Amino acid sequence: MTQVVKVARSGKNAQTATDPNDFIFHSDYNTFKIVASGLYEPSIPANSPMTDYKVAHNLERVPLVVAFMREASLNEVVLASNFSPSSSSYLEFASVNADYTDVIFRIKNNHSTNAIVAHIRYFIFEVPL
Amino acid sequence: MAQFTQNITTNGNEGYWAGSWFVNGSWWQTGRNGFGDDLYSAGRFTNVSVPYGATITSAYLKLYGYANESGDAFTRIYGIDEDNTVDLTSDPVSRPRTTAYTQWNFNVINLNQLYTIDITSLIQEIVNRAGWGSSNALAVIHVNDGTPTSNFRHFKNWHGDSSYPVGIEINYQLPAHLIEKSLTYRIVRPQTPLTKMLRYSIKDMETDPQPFSGLKVAKAGHNAVNAKLVESYKFHSGYNTLKYLLNGTFQLHVVNPPKNEYNVVGYVDHNLGYFPFAIVYAKDDLMANYQPLGRFQAGSGAYRQFYYYLTTTRLYFVVTGWSINGDDDYYVNFYYKLFRNNLGL
């Protein structure tokens, strides 16, 4: 007999439910594991063109990465390649990607005189076998 | 074996208390002053590239003497017991401290002499936190522990003398799961240069699996007792997962927008009080299917872009475009998923 570990959502019956979305955890389905996460806070020089900023990930493979950024002085967070319509926003967070050694953040600062700190939270996810 | 070193050479990452908190103050001090105040200092190190679960073989706080001083000083150094402690622009004294600490009692301090204090145990406690991740920030706080009145002591820092910054050195071994990944990489990429092969082989010899306590559910064909790759598991309590909060749809109606460039904005409330992890998809009348945001431009000749951003209470949706005549009339449908994971930003 196949053995499983199932944790149903509130209001759902773990013994009879068949929809994967009815479970908080079900051992028949893989979970999207966060292998690592980190905070990276580069200071982006004033009036700088689109530039790559890198953080070593120490995984020696190309991981799946997701990153969000908050521009210093703003109380808004954007996913990479999204933006804020705020007139006080100067940073462009164009993309996040990775190679065998680094997580790479591509950022531009449109402020003519001030360097701005980019507060970035990034997540490195499992790449399933 | 790997090493992380860093000196504090940025604003907001060092300071001391002497009656009030002086972030970016021009020295590091501890002990007790002539008023009977217990003095303390703190330093924060960012982008600390030590992975979760690493074995700390040694760690040192490095301080340089500010002047020739003598007299008994009794002090302790703690870690800030947080996953990713924020900067020190505010007084860190009330932040939780590690159980582990270093007792550092000394008498004579000499000008510009380097003092290397062993802080291995408290650094180990920080990187063992479940929420710790490589490139997070950590901080230490150096407090008085019974120094007699007027025996306050000074050490140099970057804000007072850029030649003698406060520093940290952490020597560590990678956790077993990362070493195992190196081995797998070597097998599946046999064209790897010999130099890399040798490097991975050396790491393999360093393998020293830690005792495990937690919950693991292995995939079919993998052994939960000894599989080391995270990819071998359907669930592993040593790794965080996205924690689902809610999903939903939202529709923005763009109708007769201002000529030229326009923004149409809508939102849903999440009221979490922090910035959560979120993913959004969008589709308009020109698109066949939903697509994830990211900067996405829709339409041929009709210039439209769809975005989203987050505050601590709301998820905002944005349609920006360019209307020549101001007579546009279309709908954009958003599908969103919000997770409880706090971005900590």
Side-chain angles (χ1 to χ4, degrees), chain A residues 3-5 7 9 21 24-42 50 54-62 66-71 74-86 91-95 100-101 118-129, chain B residues 44 46-47 49-51 84-85 87 131-137 172 174 177-178 181-182 184-185 189 196 199-200 203 215 217-219 222 229-236 239-242 244 263 265 275-279 293-296 305-312 318 320 341-345:
Chain A
Q3 295 180 321
V4 297
V5 177
V7 180
R9 285 182 172 175
N21 292 302
I24 292 174
F25 175 75
H26 192 307
S27 60
D28 282 352
Y29 304 102
N30 192 18
T31 53
F32 198 32
K33 291 174 278 293
I34 299 169
V35 176
S37 70
L39 183 67
Y40 178 51
E41 299 173 301
M50 202 61 80
K54 299 182 178 182
V55 175
H57 55 62
N58 297 319
L59 294 176
E60 293 160 347
R61 65 163 66 193
V62 179
V66 173
F68 296 83
M69 182 197 74
R70 182 178 67 80
E71 184 173 336
L74 291 185
N75 289 316
E76 300 168 355
V77 165
V78 296
L79 180 76
S81 81
N82 281 252
F83 88 132
S84 162
S86 168
L91 297 186
E92 291 185 32
F93 187 17
S95 65
Y100 276 92
T101 56
H119 302 280
I120 298 172
R121 167 66 65 184
Y122 61 92
F123 297 87
I124 299 175
F125 288 96
E126 169 198 6
V127 179
L129 292 172
Chain B
R44 176 175 178 257
T46 60
N47 302 318
S49 59
V50 180
N84 187 28
T85 199
D87 65 31
W132 172 262
S134 178
S135 299
N136 280 14
Y172 62 96
L174 289 171
H177 70 274
L178 292 183
K181 282 173 183 167
S182 302
T184 300
Y185 176 73
R189 292 178 62 84
K196 281 192 174 181
R199 184 155 59 91
Y200 298 145
K203 285 184 177 179
L215 175 63
V217 179
K219 292 177 179 174
H222 296 265
L229 281 173
V230 61
E231 293 87 353
S232 298
Y233 294 94
K234 289 181 176 175
F235 179 78
H236 191 307
Y239 296 91
N240 198 5
T241 59
L242 293 179
Y244 174 76
N263 282 325
V265 181
F275 299 110
F277 192 111
I279 295 291
L293 307 182
R295 188 174 299 245
F296 181 75
Q305 294 184 340
F306 313 138
Y307 306 89
Y308 74 97
Y309 68 95
L310 293 149
T311 68
T312 56
V318 183
T320 185
N341 300 61
N342 185 351
L343 298 179
L345 294 175

Side-chain angles (χ1 to χ4, degrees), chain A residues 95-121:
Chain A
S95 65
V96 58
N97 54 59
D99 59 20
Y100 276 92
T101 56
D102 297 310
V103 180
I104 304 164
F105 309 94
R106 180 161 290 185
I107 307 172
K108 176 183 181 183
N109 183 359
N110 292 314
H111 198 290
S112 59
T113 56
N114 293 347
I116 299 175
V117 173
H119 302 280
I120 298 172
R121 167 66 65 184

Side-chain angles (χ1 to χ4, degrees), chain B residues 1-63:
Chain B
M1 185 74 74
Q3 184 182 70
F4 170 82
T5 62
Q6 187 177 86
N7 295 324
I8 300 174
T9 59
T10 52
N11 288 328
N13 290 316
E14 61 186 6
Y16 69 90
W17 186 94
S20 61
W21 176 249
F22 295 92
V23 63
N24 305 327
S26 56
W27 54 59
W28 177 288
Q29 67 176 9
T30 185
R32 175 174 287 181
N33 65 15
F35 302 105
D37 293 326
D38 289 331
L39 311 175
Y40 54 87
S41 296
R44 176 175 178 257
F45 303 91
T46 60
N47 302 318
V48 179
S49 59
V50 180
Y52 164 74
T55 299
I56 308 300
T57 54
S58 61
Y60 304 100
L61 179 67
K62 297 180 175 181
L63 302 172

Side-chain angles (χ1 to χ4, degrees), chain B residues 47-321:
Chain B
N47 302 318
V48 179
S49 59
V50 180
Y52 164 74
T55 299
I56 308 300
T57 54
S58 61
Y60 304 100
L61 179 67
K62 297 180 175 181
L63 302 172
Y64 290 91
Y66 185 85
N68 296 321
E69 298 174 336
S70 63
D72 287 337
F74 307 107
T75 68
R76 286 183 177 183
I77 299 167
Y78 291 88
I80 298 298
D81 195 19
E82 295 179 333
D83 296 339
N84 187 28
T85 199
V86 298
D87 65 31
L88 301 178
T89 50
S90 62
D91 187 346
V93 71
S94 60
R95 297 185 196 179
R97 298 178 188 176
T98 53
T99 302
Y101 62 86
T102 294
Q103 186 76 40
W104 188 35
N105 301 333
F106 54 93
N107 186 294
V108 176
I109 294 294
N110 295 316
L111 172 67
N112 294 341
Q113 180 172 328
L114 173 62
Y115 296 89
T116 301
I117 306 111
D118 189 331
I119 55 172
T120 304
S121 60
L122 56 99
I123 298 300
Q124 183 72 70
E125 186 173 338
I126 292 172
V127 304
N128 281 353
R129 291 180 57 86
W132 172 262
S134 178
S135 299
N136 280 14
L138 65 80
V140 297
I141 186 166
H142 188 186
V143 301
N144 185 36
D145 185 44
T147 301
T149 299
S150 298
N151 279 7
F152 55 105
R153 295 307 180 74
H154 302 79
F155 298 90
K156 291 194 169 184
N157 70 3
W158 180 72
H159 282 89
D161 186 340
S162 60
S163 298
Y164 297 95
V166 175
I168 197 169
E169 174 185 319
I170 303 174
N171 300 295
Y172 62 96
Q173 288 184 329
L174 289 171
H177 70 274
L178 292 183
I179 297 168
E180 180 70 11
K181 282 173 183 167
S182 302
L183 179 62
T184 300
Y185 176 73
R186 184 183 61 182
I187 294 169
V188 301
R189 292 178 62 84
Q191 71 276 25
T192 302
L194 179 61
T195 51
K196 281 192 174 181
M197 299 272 285
L198 289 171
R199 184 155 59 91
Y200 298 145
S201 297
I202 291 169
K203 285 184 177 179
D204 296 342
M205 288 188 289
E206 292 177 350
T207 302
D208 181 19
Q210 301 297 305
F212 179 81
S213 59
L215 175 63
K216 299 189 287 188
V217 179
K219 292 177 179 174
H222 296 265
N223 188 332
V225 175
N226 57 21
K228 294 176 186 141
L229 281 173
V230 61
E231 293 87 353
S232 298
Y233 294 94
K234 289 181 176 175
F235 179 78
H236 191 307
S237 58
Y239 296 91
N240 198 5
T241 59
L242 293 179
K243 297 171 183 65
Y244 174 76
L245 173 63
L246 58 87
N247 69 333
T249 58
F250 189 85
Q251 188 177 70
L252 279 177
H253 186 192
V254 179
V255 55
N256 299 326
K259 289 183 180 179
N260 302 322
E261 189 171 6
Y262 60 84
N263 282 325
V264 178
V265 181
Y267 64 84
V268 294
D269 292 317
H270 62 73
N271 292 319
L272 287 170
Y274 56 79
F275 299 110
F277 192 111
I279 295 291
V280 178
Y281 295 75
K283 176 184 178 306
D284 71 357
D285 57 320
L286 302 175
M287 300 161 62
N289 299 297
Y290 278 89
Q291 298 202 23
L293 307 182
R295 188 174 299 245
F296 181 75
Q297 300 180 15
S300 173
Y303 179 69
R304 304 172 186 174
Q305 294 184 340
F306 313 138
Y307 306 89
Y308 74 97
Y309 68 95
L310 293 149
T311 68
T312 56
T313 57
R314 290 173 174 170
L315 168 62
Y316 284 87
F317 308 96
V318 183
V319 174
T320 185

